[in-house]
Amino acid sequence: MKLRNVSIDGFRSIRSLNSLNLGTPTILAGHNDAGKSAIIDAILMLLGSYKPTIEDLGAERTRAGSCASQRDERGRRL
């Protein structure tokens, strides 16, 4: 099985990521807290290697809970 692209919606700081094309190799680069690890963990969750927690659901889905984190318009923690 080869994963060619991935779309993520509402996982950690990622509000919506449509069709991230994956190649050989795929390099994720960005500032600290940009969501690189969130992309990797979302893929691992899809493959069954990562068990999600309530914190992984993203700020929009956990506003009422104590684990909600405030984020700016780009999904970065404040």
Side-chain angles (χ1 to χ4, degrees), residues 2-74:
K2 184 172 183 177
L3 194 59
R4 298 185 186 272
N5 63 51
V6 65
S7 296
I8 304 168
D9 182 38
F11 185 80
R12 291 191 189 166
S13 63
I14 303 170
R15 290 182 185 174
S16 180
L17 176 64
N18 294 316
S19 195
L20 172 65
N21 294 319
L22 303 174
T24 305
T26 297
I27 299 170
L28 299 176
H31 296 285
N32 291 343
D33 214 22
K36 301 176 299 289
S37 295
I39 292 170
I40 298 297
D41 287 342
I43 293 170
L44 290 174
M45 183 179 71
L46 172 71
L47 298 174
S49 299
Y50 178 82
K51 184 177 178 185
T53 64
I54 189 100
E55 290 87 3
D56 292 330
L57 297 178
E60 289 82 29
R61 297 183 187 186
T62 58
R63 284 179 210 230
S66 61
C67 62
S69 59
Q70 292 186 348
R71 299 181 185 273
D72 67 11
E73 67 280 351
R74 299 182 84 190

